[in-house]
Amino acid sequence: MKMGKNMKSEESTMSNLRELLLQVMNEYGNAITERFAEHPLGTLVRSEIPEKIFKVADVDRDRYVVKGSVGQGNWAKVPWIAIMNKEVTTTTQEGFYLVYLFREDMSKVFLTLAQGVTKTDRDEMERINEDIRAKLDIDEPQIHKNNDYVLGESDKAKKYQESTALFIEYERNHMPSDGQLISD
């Protein structure tokens, strides 16, 4: 459903997390051809989805920050929604955090444990990723302990991929239930 520029989507405020992620994936391609400022899809990613994460995943607002971005002034190639533990970081520029990273072609979204790409060089990033992987005892088959996936061809997409220690892949055509997304 396409929304007017100043209309708040009743559907998105009532939707579950799965439906909101799919809405981004289904509408982003068209949205990036439209005016960036005050676009409803930007509001969805920056405000509505973070608020939904707080509610459905029972995320403690005193311990966590949830932020989303579709770019700053222009549409991002890889929009994201980050869940940050305030004891580790409150910015996506440094530290590590959970983040949904949308593939450039919107065919997939990845839930990742990643780190900020702004203040860390590539070698240090890989060292930190290896350290994180070594310390976590994870045996769930859907969790990949590497960064062997593709977000896209842009420089930012490649940096985000390099910053990933762990990931879970979700395909647009096989998006799991809200319960599974929250469990992951």
Side-chain angles (χ1 to χ4, degrees):
M1 176 176 95
K2 197 165 186 167
M3 298 176 280
K5 295 253 188 280
N6 294 317
M7 289 175 54
K8 185 162 185 162
S9 167
E10 253 183 65
E11 183 175 302
S12 66
T13 58
M14 295 170 55
S15 299
N16 62 33
L17 180 59
R18 176 187 187 275
E19 291 169 347
L20 295 176
L21 295 174
L22 285 170
Q23 184 177 347
V24 173
M25 297 170 85
N26 290 329
E27 296 180 11
Y28 201 78
N30 288 332
I32 62 173
T33 67
E34 299 173 359
R35 186 171 181 258
F36 179 80
E38 300 176 19
H39 196 284
L41 202 62
T43 302
L44 178 73
V45 172
R46 287 188 297 270
S47 301
E48 294 176 42
I49 294 176
E51 189 60 31
K52 182 61 72 175
I53 290 170
F54 276 117
K55 288 179 181 174
V56 300
D58 197 26
V59 174
D60 182 351
R61 292 175 191 272
D62 292 330
R63 289 190 61 201
Y64 295 92
V65 175
V66 182
K67 293 181 183 175
S69 178
V70 293
Q72 295 179 336
N74 293 302
W75 292 101
K77 297 270 188 192
V78 179
W80 52 263
I81 302 149
I83 305 165
M84 297 167 277
N85 182 325
K86 292 178 183 180
E87 293 178 16
V88 177
T89 189
T90 58
T91 175
T92 57
Q93 294 183 355
E94 60 188 359
F96 55 92
Y97 44 86
L98 290 176
V99 59
Y100 285 105
L101 295 170
F102 292 86
R103 190 171 173 167
E104 286 180 355
D105 68 4
M106 294 296 136
S107 64
K108 298 179 181 183
V109 62
F110 301 87
L111 177 60
T112 69
L113 178 59
Q115 55 187 303
V117 299
T118 306
K119 298 183 179 182
T120 310
D121 68 44
R122 186 178 186 181
D123 291 338
E124 179 70 2
M125 201 176 303
E126 186 55 36
R127 187 195 64 72
I128 293 168
N129 282 341
E130 289 302 324
D131 189 46
I132 289 170
R133 292 172 189 140
K135 288 181 179 175
L136 295 176
D137 183 26
I138 296 174
D139 61 358
E140 289 86 356
Q142 79 274 22
I143 300 176
H144 304 275
K145 290 176 79 170
N146 57 55
N147 55 9
D148 190 20
Y149 69 102
V150 177
L151 281 172
E153 295 302 316
S154 70
D155 288 342
K156 197 66 105 172
K158 291 176 183 176
K159 285 184 179 181
Y160 289 161
Q161 180 184 339
E162 290 172 0
S163 78
T164 300
L166 311 167
F167 74 93
I168 299 173
E169 177 179 320
Y170 306 113
E171 292 184 43
R172 179 174 56 199
N173 296 330
H174 297 95
M175 187 67 75
S177 68
D178 243 34
Q180 185 64 51
L181 290 169
I182 293 162
S183 174
D184 290 347

